[in-house]
Amino acid sequence: MEEYDYIFKLIIFGDGGVGKTTLTQRYLTGFFDKGSRLTIGVEFFVKTLEVADKKEKLQIWDFGGEERFRFLLPQYCRGTSGGIFVYDVTQELTFNHLTAWLEVVRANSRNIPLLLVGTKADLELKRKVMAEEAINIARANKMSGFAEVSAKTGQNVESVFKTITQLMVKRANPPA
Ligand code: GDP
Ligand code: MG
């Protein structure tokens, strides 16, 4: 029998096509899966890790992001311990949609840690969103952190999941 100190539900959200599934797969398998297909509704993955001398089980909910499935978001937010909002650094619109996504997630979850994550950082020549701008937006929206990642090179992939897990552990153990 496996035992965990914590079981966390983590939701990955943001527009379709930004790289949510690819990022999740890179984290789970260590490989860049170019042939990723459209996520219908939501996909669910499990990963165990050890952070802060504790054993955590992450239930990762990869929310498709397609407009026609948005109505499902409120119910998928229930019981979430943390969230990662993903945008594509080469598509400004996916970044501009942050506040609309945040509104729904915050309205349907408790005060959870949320990270702002820009993907496809390997596509430097196509970049539209600057890191400085994203850091400011993350602060303005009271998010818990920001990082740029690449599922292709693996840049920051592990650390993003480690960071959100640390934040979820912290939130589960409020100071006395
Ligand atoms: P989702 O709809 O947010 O889940 O997006 P997908 O994970 O399906 O990715 C959409 C497209 O972006 C796919 O063609 C991926 O191969 C590509 N992609 C995802 N992450 C990266 C990345 O870090 N770098 C590059 N160059 N392409 C990526
Ligand atoms: Mg997907």
Side-chain angles (χ1 to χ4, degrees):
M1 198 177 101
E2 286 185 285
E3 288 185 30
Y4 305 97
D5 295 298
Y6 298 101
I7 298 177
F8 292 128
K9 175 177 172 182
L10 171 66
I11 188 166
I12 316 288
F13 61 104
D15 287 5
V18 296
K20 298 178 299 295
T21 302
T22 308
L23 171 65
T24 305
Q25 288 306 321
R26 173 83 198 207
Y27 177 59
L28 295 173
T29 68
F31 294 103
F32 177 58
D33 176 10
K34 276 209 317 248
S36 86
R37 60 271 163 278
L38 187 69
T39 307
I40 306 297
V42 71
E43 282 186 277
F44 176 86
F45 306 96
V46 171
K47 168 96 174 177
T48 61
L49 69 164
E50 276 172 52
V51 166
D53 287 329
K54 301 285 183 200
K55 202 166 173 188
E56 296 89 7
K57 179 176 180 173
L58 293 188
Q59 301 176 338
I60 304 175
W61 296 60
D62 171 14
F63 191 78
E66 259 202 305
E67 204 66 53
R68 66 195 165 111
F69 292 115
R70 295 277 170 90
F71 74 96
L72 292 171
L73 183 60
Q75 74 189 78
Y76 282 126
C77 288
R78 252 172 246 159
T80 304
S81 300
I84 299 177
F85 173 82
V86 180
Y87 69 94
D88 176 346
V89 302
T90 73
Q91 295 183 70
E92 193 148 28
L93 253 188
T94 67
F95 177 69
N96 295 342
H97 289 156
L98 169 70
T99 47
W101 278 102
L102 272 188
E103 212 171 292
V104 180
V105 171
R106 284 198 163 128
N108 292 282
S109 57
R110 279 164 285 144
N111 181 28
I112 58 170
L114 292 164
L115 297 186
L116 177 62
V117 167
T119 47
K120 311 192 190 180
D122 56 285
L123 300 176
E124 195 50 58
L125 293 175
K126 292 187 176 171
R127 174 193 288 277
K128 297 279 169 13
V129 182
M130 297 298 147
E132 295 73 25
E133 188 186 349
I135 289 169
N136 289 334
I137 292 289
R139 284 208 190 104
N141 285 283
K142 299 190 166 36
M143 299 181 78
S144 302
F146 161 73
E148 285 189 350
V149 305
S150 167
K152 191 169 184 180
T153 68
Q155 175 192 335
N156 282 339
V157 172
E158 287 272 340
S159 78
V160 157
F161 285 90
K162 193 175 163 194
T163 300
I164 191 72
T165 303
Q166 282 168 335
L167 291 165
M168 293 189 293
V169 170
K170 224 167 147 186
R171 203 63 63 100
N173 295 286

